[in-house]
Amino acid sequence: MQPRVDLISLGVRSVDASRSFYVDGLGWRVLRESPGEVVFLQANHGLVLSLWDASQMHAEAGTSSPDGIPCITLSHNLGSAAQVDAVMAEAKAAGASIVAAPKTQPWGGYTGYFADPDGFRWEVAFNPTWAVDAAGTVML
């Protein structure tokens, strides 16, 4: 697995309130969104911040929803489903716990989740619409 983070997802209580804070308040640029469900923001060269409905995020990442503790995942995006499978196997061999085996998602991508020794979730993903241009802007 290359040492790289492509996407940081925050499980938020209100996508609309978080969107207002980051976009209207801080001026961050929206790349794509599904109103009330998820907003993708350009964070840095090739890096995206996802503001994701916490209940949906907990369900997909295989986490419980303890009161007051926000959910966060780090994502590693790859070029194919086969690469996702290979990185998941590599993580397992390194001692990670597989918390959600790779599968095709309703939005068209292919993702799996593992937990590091402290329980932090990593999403390993193939998103067929993900690309980064020369300027570092993520194209979704």
Side-chain angles (χ1 to χ4, degrees), residues 29 31-32 42 48 127-133 136-140:
R29 193 179 76 147
L31 296 171
R32 179 180 279 179
Q42 184 74 44
V48 170
N127 181 337
T129 66
W130 182 278
V132 180
D133 69 15
T137 301
V138 174
M139 313 303 289
L140 291 172

Side-chain angles (χ1 to χ4, degrees), residues 9-12 37 52-66 69-73 98-101 103-107 111-114 121 123:
S9 294
L10 304 179
V12 299
E37 187 175 324
W52 192 4
D53 175 77
S55 62
Q56 292 178 359
M57 184 175 177
H58 283 292
E60 186 174 310
T63 61
S64 60
S65 181
I69 300 173
C71 185
I72 181 171
T73 60
I98 304 302
V99 294
K103 68 178 183 177
T104 301
Q105 298 295 340
W107 48 268
T111 66
Y113 288 83
F114 68 81
R121 294 319 202 242
E123 175 192 35

Side-chain angles (χ1 to χ4, degrees), residues 10-133:
L10 304 179
V12 299
R13 290 183 297 264
S14 169
V15 173
D16 294 335
S18 292
R19 183 193 193 287
S20 180
F21 174 78
Y22 284 96
V23 176
D24 302 331
L26 298 179
W28 289 35
R29 193 179 76 147
V30 174
L31 296 171
R32 179 180 279 179
E33 64 186 305
S34 261
E37 187 175 324
V38 65
V39 178
F40 297 98
L41 307 170
Q42 184 74 44
N44 200 350
H45 183 92
L47 179 64
V48 170
L49 178 68
S50 166
L51 307 173
W52 192 4
D53 175 77
S55 62
Q56 292 178 359
M57 184 175 177
H58 283 292
E60 186 174 310
T63 61
S64 60
S65 181
D67 291 335
I69 300 173
C71 185
I72 181 171
T73 60
L74 304 169
S75 296
H76 185 74
N77 288 352
L78 298 163
S80 71
Q83 290 174 328
V84 169
D85 291 337
V87 167
M88 292 292 290
E90 183 180 355
K92 183 176 182 178
S97 299
I98 304 302
V99 294
K103 68 178 183 177
T104 301
Q105 298 295 340
W107 48 268
Y110 183 77
T111 66
Y113 288 83
F114 68 81
D116 75 3
D118 288 302
F120 290 104
R121 294 319 202 242
W122 278 86
E123 175 192 35
V124 182
F126 164 61
N127 181 337
T129 66
W130 182 278
V132 180
D133 69 15

